[in-house]
Amino acid sequence: MARQLGAQTIAFERNIHILSTAATVGPKEGEGPLGQEFDVVLADMLAGESSWEAAESKIVERNMKLAIEKAGIRQEDVDYILAGDLLNQSIGATFGMRSLERPYYGLFSACATFGEALGLGAILIEAGGAKMVAAAASSHFCTAERQFRLPLEMGGQRPPTASWTVTGSGAAILGSDHAKPRITHITTGKIVDYGITDVNNMGAAMAPAAADTLRAHFADTGREPTDYDWIVTGDLGHYGRELVVRQLAEEGIALGSNFTDCGIKIYDQQMQDTHAGGSGCACAAVTFCGHYYRLLAQKKIKRMLLVPTGALLSTVSSQQGESIPGIAHAVAIECGI
Amino acid sequence: MARQLGAQTIAFERNIHILSTAATVGPKEGEGPLGQEFDVVLADMLAGESSWEAAESKIVERNMKLAIEKAGIRQEDVDYILAGDLLNQSIGATFGMRSLERPYYGLFSACATFGEALGLGAILIEAGGAKMVAAAASSHFCTAERQFRLPLEMGGQRPPTASWTVTGSGAAILGSDHAKPRITHITTGKIVDYGITDVNNMGAAMAPAAADTLRAHFADTGREPTDYDWIVTGDLGHYGRELVVRQLAEEGIALGSNFTDCGIKIYDQQMQDTHAGGSGCACAAVTFCGHYYRLLAQKKIKRMLLVPTGALLSTVSSQQGESIPGIAHAVAIECGI
């Protein structure tokens, strides 16, 4: 049985381990600082498909099959798939997971979806409802750009606070294997809204949610930032990270040099012209699955807090003058014994 | 600890009860056969808001607060909210639940979302991760029509197989109270695709998924259709229900007169010009929360299987020539002792 810690945290009593991960990315991510750590780097944005949306689904499908293969299990050993993406009605995940033929839970926390998938996946195992589950999330620069912003063909100018949607998909297989990294806690986020309306400044929209979840995590667990080798948010980017540091500093919580963001890690800001950094569901998913999971598995880091962050907007909500609420779901992971 | 039964079913060992439900609907649903059973019937489609989308969120918010009030608990007693809707990036649920300030899991199974919310909510309690959770889903005729189909002002002609999106929101509070109806099993659906491409025939698109989940439920539990007082799918409507009956009959599973559909129950087909029947996330949610929950609580029915059904499409997937996969999540509920 899991234990409720404080208001928002669950501590897992059963050992829930991450058996394997897989990360597939686009060409730009392949050229970035983590390029060598991803399992698959696509040669182009279409992945052999006739539309970017079909490409995203194909990436989701192939990457999940790769994660299953890397876990050394069969497709039918996966009791549940939990997945989501940014597209309207989550078609990236739907059409990607269709051929897997496993019981399926579709999720939506915008770019925090990978955190939600890991959390609910761990809960399914803890409850005794599953032995192995798969968690995944995806995004694609071209599908996101044309859905949320402008036709790519326009070549619109990007403000400095704009982020770059990561192309790719990350997938993790959860199960039991004491040699593998273990999920010890999750802290589930609330919807937090500070009234930001600038759709070109997602970092500012999501920073209050990240701060809220981090504050809750430290309060619920009694841990401090220094108890982690790394605290890694999802896609706040350079400006959003600064806002979280400042907000929590005012409350007496000092986030130090062990606090970074997947959106900062995935691109070279100077060389790759990515402005605020990476974003999208895939940002946290591929950075964790490609980079941090490897460090945990190799015991180069012992304990980390992954905090995927999401901006809960649609073009309709923005056009109607709504603000952009954020959400962030934290997952504490330790390397195996 | 829950038990896995067969490939897709979880049997709950802990007693997980539905403490209360609330159902808010639009004017048309209020005029239908179940009109007297809903908690709130709106006087108009805007609910005092300036857009239909804002109206949907307002309905979600007020209805959730009503469900909490009816359970006799405080807002802060709800450990988690699980919710979703049909709108792009789930803005119905996001902006509806924002003011609740509870840890939040966004879900998307199209119109099967209420089944997913009840199932994952029950698992959270079973795992020991929560004492009380809230599950909800919503839809709105006007927001769905203009997002998925055509501007309402056009007054387009509807084919006979078209369904009518239910306006409303249903919410249930799960917790422990032996006097209340109990969730005993869930059977989680796979994504099932028979290649249907007609967006005006959702019943046909979803029927194979409903049949698949029902087949799995009976195989996993050893139960038969006659073991239930009612087997109730979500929004297959008149034509979709017939397809499920025919498909399962060919496999030797006889669904009888105890098999109906929320889309059939909610409107008077002759008088209300609703063609195939009701649809939308709210269809299963309000019909269960308004009608069936009452029958269970009054012990007029002892055991039912609720099977919300979803069509996993977007306008983009349809425009790109994709078929319409379906999904269905079953929840077995018994009246309290």
Side-chain angles (χ1 to χ4, degrees):
Chain A
M1 285 272 292
R3 280 176 303 129
Q4 288 181 268
L5 292 183
Q8 292 175 242
T9 301
I10 295 174
F12 294 107
E13 304 261 311
R14 274 214 213 200
N15 288 321
I16 295 158
H17 301 86
I18 304 177
L19 306 183
S20 73
T21 61
T24 297
V25 297
K28 191 177 184 82
E29 293 73 25
E31 291 163 6
L34 308 179
Q36 299 303 312
E37 304 191 50
F38 301 119
D39 296 283
V40 178
V41 178
L42 299 170
D44 64 61
M45 298 297 272
L46 278 170
E49 298 297 313
S50 57
S51 72
W52 293 320
E53 288 75 15
E56 182 169 341
S57 292
K58 183 57 71 180
I59 294 167
V60 167
E61 179 184 0
R62 286 195 197 147
N63 190 66
M64 180 54 82
K65 289 181 175 171
L66 179 59
I68 291 168
E69 191 187 310
K70 287 176 75 177
I73 61 173
R74 298 164 309 168
Q75 207 162 293
E76 55 266 39
D77 295 330
V78 175
D79 292 316
Y80 296 90
I81 291 175
L82 300 100
D85 59 283
L86 286 177
L87 296 182
N88 298 345
Q89 290 72 55
S90 304
I91 57 170
T94 296
F95 291 100
M97 300 306 182
R98 175 174 52 175
S99 74
L100 276 288
E101 297 187 342
R102 305 308 305 147
Y104 177 75
Y105 286 123
L107 309 180
F108 181 76
S109 287
C111 308
T113 297
F114 190 62
E116 179 177 357
L118 288 176
L120 286 172
I123 286 164
L124 267 158
I125 296 175
E126 184 83 12
K131 287 180 191 66
M132 283 190 261
V133 306
S138 66
S139 53
H140 188 297
F141 176 78
C142 304
T143 66
E145 206 64 21
R146 76 166 160 191
Q147 177 182 279
F148 287 111
R149 297 179 187 98
L150 295 165
L152 278 165
E153 293 80 355
M154 270 184 61
Q157 184 80 359
R158 301 158 55 77
T161 54
S163 56
W164 191 280
T165 304
V166 170
T167 300
S169 181
I173 309 295
L174 309 188
S176 295
D177 179 347
H178 286 264
K180 296 295 173 75
R182 180 182 161 220
I183 296 179
T184 60
H185 300 78
I186 58 170
T187 301
T188 303
K190 301 174 181 175
I191 300 169
V192 177
D193 192 345
Y194 273 32
I196 304 288
T197 54
D198 181 358
V199 294
N200 281 308
N201 195 350
M202 295 294 178
M206 296 186 286
D212 196 71
T213 297
L214 286 168
R215 183 195 309 112
H217 181 78
F218 297 131
D220 291 348
T221 60
R223 290 183 174 180
E224 294 177 10
T226 49
D227 288 327
Y228 290 97
D229 296 321
W230 283 109
I231 296 165
V232 190
T233 44
D235 56 349
L236 299 178
H238 295 275
Y239 304 106
R241 177 189 178 279
E242 273 311 299
L243 292 174
V244 173
V245 170
R246 269 195 263 164
Q247 184 179 340
L248 289 183
E250 284 173 14
E251 302 173 20
I253 299 171
L255 291 169
S257 58
N258 66 333
F259 170 47
T260 189
D261 181 81
C262 297
I264 295 173
K265 296 286 291 181
I266 196 162
Y267 298 124
D268 183 316
Q269 191 184 19
Q270 303 305 319
M271 300 294 287
Q272 293 192 286
D273 194 31
T274 45
H275 299 208
S279 64
C281 297
C283 188
V286 304
T287 303
F288 175 76
C289 293
H291 177 63
Y292 287 105
Y293 180 76
R294 197 181 303 266
L295 296 178
L296 285 160
Q298 295 171 346
K299 300 184 188 358
K300 289 181 181 167
I301 59 176
K302 290 204 176 121
R303 187 192 272 178
M304 73 175 287
L305 190 65
L306 178 70
V307 193
T309 39
L312 301 166
L313 79 165
S314 79
T315 54
V316 170
S317 67
S318 291
Q319 284 159 8
Q320 292 181 352
E322 261 294 1
S323 53
I324 307 172
I327 196 162
H329 300 307
V331 185
I333 308 159
E334 296 183 359
C335 67
I337 301 150
Chain B
M1 284 271 293
R3 280 175 304 129
Q4 288 181 269
L5 292 183
Q8 291 175 242
T9 301
I10 295 174
F12 293 106
E13 303 261 312
R14 273 214 213 199
N15 288 322
I16 294 158
H17 300 87
I18 304 178
L19 305 183
S20 73
T21 62
T24 297
V25 297
K28 191 178 183 84
E29 294 72 26
E31 291 163 6
L34 307 180
Q36 299 303 313
E37 304 191 50
F38 301 118
D39 296 282
V40 178
V41 177
L42 299 170
D44 64 61
M45 298 297 270
L46 278 169
E49 298 296 314
S50 57
S51 72
W52 293 319
E53 289 75 15
E56 182 169 342
S57 293
K58 185 56 71 181
I59 295 167
V60 167
E61 179 184 0
R62 286 195 197 147
N63 190 67
M64 179 55 81
K65 289 180 176 171
L66 180 60
I68 291 169
E69 190 187 313
K70 287 177 75 178
I73 61 173
R74 299 164 307 168
Q75 206 163 291
E76 55 267 38
D77 295 329
V78 174
D79 293 316
Y80 295 90
I81 292 175
L82 300 100
D85 60 282
L86 285 177
L87 296 182
N88 298 345
Q89 290 73 55
S90 305
I91 56 170
T94 296
F95 292 100
M97 299 305 182
R98 176 174 51 175
S99 74
L100 275 289
E101 297 188 340
R102 305 308 305 147
Y104 176 76
Y105 287 123
L107 309 180
F108 181 76
S109 286
C111 307
T113 297
F114 190 62
E116 180 177 357
L118 288 177
L120 286 172
I123 286 164
L124 267 158
I125 296 175
E126 183 83 12
K131 286 180 193 67
M132 282 190 262
V133 306
S138 66
S139 53
H140 189 296
F141 177 79
C142 303
T143 66
E145 205 64 20
R146 75 167 161 190
Q147 177 181 279
F148 287 112
R149 298 180 186 98
L150 295 165
L152 277 165
E153 294 80 355
M154 269 184 62
Q157 183 82 357
R158 302 158 54 78
T161 54
S163 54
W164 192 279
T165 304
V166 170
T167 299
S169 181
I173 309 295
L174 309 187
S176 295
D177 179 346
H178 287 263
K180 298 294 175 77
R182 181 183 160 218
I183 296 178
T184 60
H185 301 77
I186 59 169
T187 301
T188 303
K190 301 174 180 175
I191 300 169
V192 177
D193 193 345
Y194 274 31
I196 304 288
T197 55
D198 181 357
V199 294
N200 281 308
N201 194 349
M202 294 294 177
M206 296 186 286
D212 196 71
T213 297
L214 286 168
R215 183 196 309 112
H217 180 79
F218 297 131
D220 290 349
T221 59
R223 290 183 175 180
E224 294 178 11
T226 50
D227 288 328
Y228 289 98
D229 296 321
W230 283 109
I231 296 166
V232 189
T233 45
D235 56 349
L236 299 178
H238 295 276
Y239 304 107
R241 177 189 177 279
E242 272 312 299
L243 292 174
V244 173
V245 170
R246 269 196 262 163
Q247 185 179 339
L248 289 183
E250 284 174 14
E251 301 173 21
I253 299 171
L255 291 170
S257 58
N258 66 333
F259 171 46
T260 188
D261 181 79
C262 296
I264 295 173
K265 296 287 290 181
I266 196 163
Y267 298 124
D268 184 315
Q269 191 184 19
Q270 303 306 318
M271 300 293 288
Q272 294 193 285
D273 194 32
T274 46
H275 298 206
S279 65
C281 296
C283 187
V286 302
T287 304
F288 176 75
C289 293
H291 177 63
Y292 288 106
Y293 180 75
R294 197 181 302 266
L295 295 178
L296 284 160
Q298 295 171 347
K299 301 185 187 358
K300 289 182 180 167
I301 59 176
K302 290 204 175 122
R303 187 192 272 178
M304 73 174 287
L305 190 65
L306 178 71
V307 194
T309 39
L312 300 165
L313 81 163
S314 79
T315 53
V316 170
S317 68
S318 291
Q319 283 159 7
Q320 292 182 351
E322 262 293 2
S323 53
I324 307 171
I327 195 161
H329 300 306
V331 184
I333 307 158
E334 295 183 359
C335 68
I337 301 151

